[in-house]
Each structure stands twice: as structure tokens, then as C-alpha cells.
Amino acid sequence: MEPEQFTQFLSAAAEEDVADFETELVLPGGRKIWVSQNARAVRSADGTVLHFEATLEDITERKRAAD
């Protein structure tokens, strides 16, 4: 994921839950995979973002099958 795209993803997650955000990642060694990401902000009682909880699912095979 490009840095600009990652910043947009975090900004969106800070505003509302993000579901099924698909992007291509480059792994160490150069291998590329597709992932589906879900994320939500965890907030303090005053609404300050403390951290994010997120999951990644490798969807590379599904993307290849669709092509």
C-alpha cells in the first residue's frame, strides 16, 4: 500500500468503521498479494483515538480467479 493510500485508510477509520477495503501489498522480497482490510478506531471516554483494531484477509486467489 502506498503511504498516501495508508494515510487515507487511517483517516477513514478514524471517522467510521472501514470494511472490505481492498488493496495490493508488496511483501519483503517483492511478492505482491491482495488483502481485504477491516478497521475501527478505539476511543477514550472523551472521544480521543487511542488505537486502531484491524484485520487483514489474503484475497489474492479470489482476485486471480476473478481475472
Side-chain angles (χ1 to χ4, degrees), residues 5-53:
Q5 189 179 26
F6 184 67
T7 300
Q8 291 172 345
F9 176 75
L10 288 181
S11 294
E15 296 297 320
E16 62 184 331
D17 292 355
V18 174
D20 302 321
F21 180 85
E22 295 183 1
T23 191
E24 187 176 42
L25 298 179
V26 180
L27 301 177
R31 187 169 71 99
K32 295 179 181 181
I33 64 168
W34 280 91
V35 296
S36 175
Q37 302 176 60
N38 300 296
R40 71 178 192 94
V42 176
R43 300 179 181 279
S44 66
D46 69 359
T48 302
V49 174
L50 299 173
H51 62 271
F52 294 95
E53 293 180 344

